[in-house]
Amino acid sequence: MKKGLLLIDIQNDFLPGGTLEVPEGDEVIPVANAFMEQPFDLIVATKDWHSESHGSFAATHGKLPGEVIDLYGIQQVLWPVHCVQGTFGAEFHLGLHRDKIHAVIHKGTDPHIDSYSAFFDNQRRQSTGLHELLQRYGISHLSLLGLATDYCVKYSACDALSLGYEVAIVASGCRGVDLRAGDSATAFELMKRLGATIE
Ligand code: VGL
Ligand code: ZN
């Protein structure tokens, strides 16, 4: 049984002071660092990695963050500009022990579609390459933590479960956006109902 650790979007823009700051987002960093000391067979981190004027940005549409639009046939919550490729906001937090990370998966690069999941875009058309990578290393068990519980962690966990992985969510290493109060709690419930363990 081979175990992988998946660190979701621990990037400056999702941390306090960032453009899409997740409340208490910085509290996941020590948890991530401690987990990276455990004997995982593969440690993968994702980066939300948007083009300028990405379709998920409110400014791209002259709208305000929080509005919901139809983006090429699917509902899209509009966000502040965040994690633009090559900017400081898209970098991992400096306190994250990046030397322990074996591979980085970029997602959300296509300007026309968002990608909350670490595996596929929101229409499940394009793979990010993560599943192929995990298969190559024979990984069957995944521990997940990072940002944000109610978006990228949730979507990544759901895809991992549907792909047949055993999934453990490290709750102490996750924080949510909670646009609506309770979104993160609902996300934990959903992940559990679909078969993840919450630890
Ligand atoms: C995320 C909103 C927009 C996330 C990414 O990492 O959860 N949320 N882009
Ligand atoms: Zn994003």
Side-chain angles (χ1 to χ4, degrees), residues 8-11 14 20 22 46 48 50 56-57 76-77 79-80 82-83 107 114-116 147-154 175 177:
I8 306 287
D9 298 1
I10 308 181
Q11 294 163 273
F14 295 123
L20 209 175
V22 177
T46 62
D48 209 31
H50 295 311
S56 72
F57 297 164
Q76 173 70 49
V77 178
W79 302 104
H82 65 279
C83 297
K107 63 184 183 62
D114 212 352
S115 182
Y116 293 142
L147 306 169
T149 309
D150 38 356
Y151 289 93
C152 292
V153 173
K154 177 177 89 174
R175 292 293 184 278
V177 180

Side-chain angles (χ1 to χ4, degrees), residues 62-138:
K63 293 189 181 289
L64 291 173
E67 289 188 55
V68 179
I69 63 161
D70 177 294
L71 187 64
Y72 304 103
I74 51 170
Q75 292 234 312
Q76 173 70 49
V77 178
L78 294 177
W79 302 104
V81 173
H82 65 279
C83 297
V84 174
Q85 298 168 12
T87 64
F88 172 79
E91 290 309 310
F92 291 129
H93 186 268
L94 273 178
L96 188 68
H97 294 165
R98 287 162 296 161
D99 52 316
K100 307 274 185 201
I101 298 169
H102 300 125
V104 177
I105 293 285
H106 295 87
K107 63 184 183 62
T109 50
D110 182 338
H112 299 118
I113 186 159
D114 212 352
S115 182
Y116 293 142
S117 164
F119 292 93
F120 304 105
D121 65 56
N122 286 3
Q123 298 231 39
R124 253 176 164 260
R125 291 213 176 124
Q126 293 280 337
S127 164
T128 59
L130 176 59
H131 181 47
E132 294 77 2
L133 176 71
L134 296 173
Q135 282 186 308
R136 207 170 333 126
Y137 282 83

